[in-house]
Amino acid sequence: MTSFNKLGLPDIILDSLKKINFTNPTPIQEQAIPAALDGNDILGSAQTGTGKTAAFALPMLAHLLNSESSAALVLLPTRELARQVCEAAQKFIGPKSGLHTALLIGGEAMPKQLRQLKYRPRLIVGTPGRINDHLLRRSLKLNHCDFLVLDETDRMLDMGFGIQLEQICRHLPEQRQTLMFSATLPGNIVSLSQKYLKNPVRIAIGSTQTAAPKIKQEIVKTNAAQKYDELTAQLAARSGSILIFVKTKFGAERLAGKLNKLSLTACAIHGDLKQRLREKVISDFRKQKNRILVATDIAARGLDIPHIQHVINYDLPQCPEDYIHRIGRTARAGAEGCAVNIITAADATKWKAIHKLMHAAGNDDTLALNKERQHRKRHSGNFRRGNLRANRCTQHAA
């Protein structure tokens, strides 16, 4: 296995990596870092939890260290992911580099960000909406940003940031290096890459339509009336930190409240929370002050908390691709984890779409279910044996 010492990174970065126990690169890091250090544009895709942040952050930081007149811009779809990337970059570079950074995200007070920009940061990490706000205020100039990173690009387009990306790129110099990472590569991503990348090196690690191999996936079939009781039974039977996904913001708050009444320490995160509260919820969960985090799909991507042992899909996602991202919050960096799907008759169509997507990769064992518990209730309606079995699934339009 290659070590970071052999990838051509500057000594200051290698020293920082050693202090945080980064010794051997993951496959995407091993392929992307040398290609980026050579000045190539990159179009990368990989399964969640494979180390994409270091794959683009390390060569980006090396570029900034080697050129004092350069600056870099990293664009991400959510505030939480932007904060994580900014914190990771600061760890990778260490405190002695003298490299100023700015985190520009929505929900934070503008004066705080203006103070960061006064120091003329050479690394700017942010979300497209807030970056555009600063460009319109003329508090941010990108004429020296000759290194651009677009991370979770498919998610940014899903969230409607396409026009804002175009507006931002008009402020960037034409001569620049661009790294684009996306969990999936639909047609709109390919078109975008042709617009912003020049002769990119294509890097693909594993299938982006399959789950990480160490995620144990389980189906629990029940009916709507018994769904909450089944959830509490699952929570009682499991140890460690648990992430529960639900469909709506109201549902997240309501479920967290009900669990707390059972003396199960739970907190909720969703898009309506103010930024200060979002940070507190994530911080408390990261510090294991709360065992359970109830979340909408705002936490489906980028949330990197190694101690999450279980992901429970209390509500299935509306988009089948989000299933892979949700369960990818566990079993990160080679660890083991478990994903539990609580399914009622109303979920049959969504489950078929999820299964069809994952089997499109040609791996018949993609959705290997290690355990399937059947709940035969008198009031389960027409939810009969076999209606969710994998070998009978057919494509359904989402």
Side-chain angles (χ1 to χ4, degrees):
M1 184 179 292
T2 303
S3 71
F4 282 109
N5 293 328
K6 298 181 179 180
L7 297 184
L9 293 166
D11 288 341
I12 188 173
I13 293 179
L14 293 175
D15 290 342
S16 295
L17 293 178
K18 185 177 180 180
K19 291 177 181 177
I20 59 176
N21 296 318
F22 268 54
T23 54
N24 297 314
T26 64
I28 193 168
Q29 293 164 4
E30 189 173 0
Q31 292 190 35
I33 290 172
L37 288 174
D38 287 340
N40 295 293
D41 285 5
I42 290 177
L43 176 59
S45 61
Q47 290 174 322
T48 184
T50 54
K52 284 184 289 182
T53 298
F56 66 73
L58 295 180
M60 173 187 69
L61 294 170
H63 174 82
L64 295 177
L65 290 174
N66 291 331
S67 176
E68 293 184 359
S69 61
S70 294
L73 173 66
V74 184
L75 292 173
L76 305 117
T78 67
R79 304 169 188 177
E80 286 73 26
L81 185 53
R83 184 175 295 279
Q84 276 189 179
V85 168
C86 191
E87 291 173 353
Q90 290 168 344
K91 290 179 181 178
F92 294 154
I93 196 66
K96 298 181 180 179
S97 67
L99 185 70
H100 292 295
T101 63
L103 177 64
L104 307 180
I105 57 177
E108 280 197 345
M110 192 66 78
K112 176 183 177 181
Q113 297 178 4
L114 294 174
R115 287 195 296 271
Q116 295 179 53
L117 292 172
K118 282 185 178 180
Y119 288 97
R120 296 184 180 180
R122 295 176 55 216
L123 172 57
I124 301 160
V125 182
T127 50
R130 183 51 63 95
I131 294 293
N132 263 313
D133 289 343
H134 281 286
L135 290 172
L136 290 172
R137 293 172 60 112
R138 298 185 179 180
S139 52
L140 173 64
K141 293 183 179 180
L142 300 177
N143 53 306
H144 293 296
C145 280
D146 57 1
F147 200 107
L148 172 65
V149 177
L150 302 174
D151 190 24
E152 299 282 2
T153 311
D154 53 344
R155 181 61 173 160
M156 283 198 281
L157 295 186
D158 289 343
M159 295 173 68
F161 286 137
I163 294 176
Q164 292 181 325
L165 291 179
E166 290 185 10
Q167 294 171 340
I168 292 169
C169 287
R170 293 193 192 111
H171 292 264
L172 295 166
E174 288 189 13
Q175 294 299 319
R176 65 174 186 267
Q177 184 176 1
T178 303
L179 311 186
M180 181 184 293
F181 288 84
S182 181
T184 58
L185 291 177
N188 57 351
I189 296 296
V190 175
S191 298
L192 196 70
S193 69
Q194 294 171 348
K195 185 175 184 178
Y196 294 139
L197 305 182
K198 297 178 181 179
N199 300 316
V201 174
R202 175 74 176 92
I203 297 175
I205 303 298
S207 171
T208 58
Q209 294 177 316
T210 60
K214 292 188 177 181
I215 299 178
K216 177 185 177 184
Q217 299 177 69
E218 301 178 12
I219 290 178
V220 176
K221 295 182 182 180
T222 187
N223 57 50
Q226 299 294 327
K227 187 175 180 180
Y228 176 71
D229 290 338
E230 181 56 46
L231 172 65
T232 57
Q234 290 289 328
L235 296 176
R238 298 174 185 276
S239 60
S241 298
I242 299 174
L243 175 58
I244 303 173
F245 280 104
V246 296
K247 182 168 54 179
T248 67
K249 302 168 186 177
F250 173 77
E253 289 286 353
R254 182 171 180 269
L255 182 56
K258 291 176 69 175
L259 295 177
N260 278 312
K261 288 180 180 178
L262 297 178
S263 298
L264 298 170
T265 54
C267 52
I269 186 169
H270 51 77
D272 279 353
L273 281 186
K274 293 183 178 180
Q275 184 61 29
R276 179 181 58 81
L277 290 176
R278 283 198 200 186
E279 293 172 11
K280 185 178 188 308
V281 167
I282 293 295
S283 176
D284 286 350
F285 187 61
R286 194 181 297 277
K287 295 175 182 177
Q288 302 187 54
K289 292 182 179 180
N290 292 305
R291 177 178 172 237
I292 300 167
L293 177 63
V294 184
T296 60
D297 278 324
I298 193 173
R301 300 197 187 208
L303 188 66
D304 187 10
I305 300 179
H307 61 73
I308 296 176
Q309 296 184 28
H310 309 278
V311 170
I312 298 179
N313 284 309
Y314 188 66
D315 297 324
L316 290 181
Q318 298 295 321
C319 176
E321 288 83 1
D322 285 339
Y323 174 80
I324 300 171
H325 295 292
R326 282 184 176 191
I327 68 174
R329 298 312 101 204
T330 188
R332 297 182 69 78
E336 294 183 352
C338 184
V340 182
N341 304 288
I342 300 178
I343 300 177
T344 68
D347 298 314
T349 298
K350 292 178 183 177
W351 185 250
K352 289 177 182 179
I354 290 168
H355 184 271
K356 186 70 174 181
L357 170 74
M358 298 181 77
H359 275 262
N363 180 1
D364 290 338
D365 294 324
T366 296
L367 205 56
L369 298 171
N370 305 92
K371 179 181 178 185
E372 182 174 340
R373 296 177 57 188
Q374 302 289 345
H375 291 263
R376 305 291 172 204
K377 306 294 182 183
R378 287 186 177 182
H379 303 291
S380 60
N382 62 358
F383 190 37
R384 300 188 303 272
R385 171 183 290 273
N387 69 341
L388 289 179
R389 290 198 180 279
N391 59 356
R392 297 184 187 178
C393 287
T394 56
Q395 178 70 59
H396 262 259

